[in-house]
Amino acid sequence: PKLPKGSGYHVYLDNLFVSTRFVQYARSQGVAITGTCRTTGGVIKELLDLQKSDKKDVIPWGETYSRYTPNGEVCHVGWKDQAFVLMMSSFMSGDERVLRLRKRPKETSSKAKTARIPFGNQATKILSIPVIADGYNYHMGAVDEFDHLTAQNAGLRHVERGGHQALEHWLLRTVLINCYLLALCSDVPEPREISFRSQQDFRRQLVSALLAK
């Protein structure tokens, strides 16, 4: 659906879908795209060359390279984590960074030579990583998260043959999960009038309140 002026969608995708042409098209439709990409997705040659050179594990951990397409619509990012990761975005660049707690890779990791250096003798350490990679890590997989939330309490209503009943049941589950997430992320100060420990607890209280009403 079209959104009010000044707002829009930001979609995170994996490398199965992301290419320069697709990101440009989505941008023309008012949709921001961020995600990892394959070498065949129209990545700028300089970044492809860097990825090839890193097969010998020569790029230091944390190095970030940002390059824009000639029209400036798509930012191509190469970031050295345990491997040299290629990303694209029509909304973010690789210049902004955020601090995150990271775990030290195992000694048997194929890129252990450079990936373990920032940790020294520490098993975990707070390190600076690109915002574009951090956003991908936290927002990619929303469909899987929805499936997980749905599986916790799928409901026992029997759905007869017919698309409209299945759609109604899906919409009901979606509304219930969204209500739970909104309540969970609400910034209402403590102590709240209603508190819950889990989605099941939230639904039990919701059902009780509806019956009482």
Side-chain angles (χ1 to χ4, degrees):
K2 290 186 178 180
L3 294 173
K5 189 176 181 180
S7 61
Y9 294 105
H10 188 179
V11 182
Y12 289 85
L13 299 171
D14 65 16
N15 57 20
L16 180 64
F17 303 99
V18 179
S19 68
T20 300
R21 290 181 61 189
F22 175 69
V23 175
Q24 288 174 331
Y25 172 76
R27 179 187 173 110
S28 71
Q29 302 300 307
V31 178
I33 300 291
T34 296
T36 55
C37 55
R38 299 182 180 185
T39 56
T40 55
V43 182
I44 291 174
K45 185 177 183 301
E46 182 183 348
L47 297 183
L48 294 177
D49 292 341
L50 284 168
Q51 188 185 51
K52 289 179 182 177
S53 70
D54 193 52
K55 289 181 179 179
K56 298 181 180 179
D57 198 13
V58 294
I59 300 176
W61 185 93
E63 286 289 316
T64 307
Y65 304 85
S66 292
R67 301 291 185 270
Y68 283 88
T69 52
N71 54 22
E73 291 183 339
V74 183
C75 181
H76 293 198
V77 176
W79 175 53
K80 176 61 182 287
D81 193 15
Q82 291 193 52
F84 193 78
V85 182
L86 297 173
M87 305 188 74
M88 288 185 194
S89 180
S90 58
F91 184 74
M92 310 170 77
S93 73
D95 301 326
E96 297 180 68
R97 301 181 79 87
V98 65
L99 297 176
R100 288 292 182 191
L101 182 67
R102 302 293 301 271
K103 293 183 179 179
R104 183 178 58 187
K106 296 180 180 179
E107 291 185 29
T108 54
S109 169
S110 60
K111 305 291 183 179
K113 184 175 74 174
T114 55
R116 287 172 63 89
I117 289 177
F119 294 88
N121 59 358
Q122 301 179 53
T124 60
K125 189 175 182 179
I126 294 178
L127 297 174
S128 171
I129 68 172
V131 170
I132 184 174
D134 184 68
Y136 176 83
N137 290 339
Y138 278 86
H139 297 297
M140 181 61 196
V143 173
D144 294 334
E145 184 179 351
F146 173 80
D147 290 341
H148 173 69
L149 289 169
T150 303
Q152 291 184 44
N153 196 330
L156 300 177
R157 179 181 176 187
H158 180 67
V159 178
E160 298 288 348
R161 182 176 298 176
H164 68 286
Q165 293 190 42
L167 183 60
E168 288 172 0
H169 191 45
W170 179 82
L171 288 172
L172 173 62
R173 288 186 294 169
T174 301
V175 169
L176 287 171
I177 291 172
N178 282 342
C179 288
Y180 163 70
L181 292 175
L182 287 170
L184 184 67
C185 300
S186 172
D187 58 358
V188 175
E190 301 286 352
R192 297 185 183 184
E193 187 175 338
I194 298 173
S195 60
F196 49 89
R197 298 184 299 274
S198 63
Q199 183 185 179
Q200 287 81 357
D201 187 20
F202 172 80
R203 291 197 182 189
R204 277 193 294 268
Q205 293 191 49
L206 178 62
V207 170
S208 298
L210 288 171
L211 289 172
K213 185 71 174 179

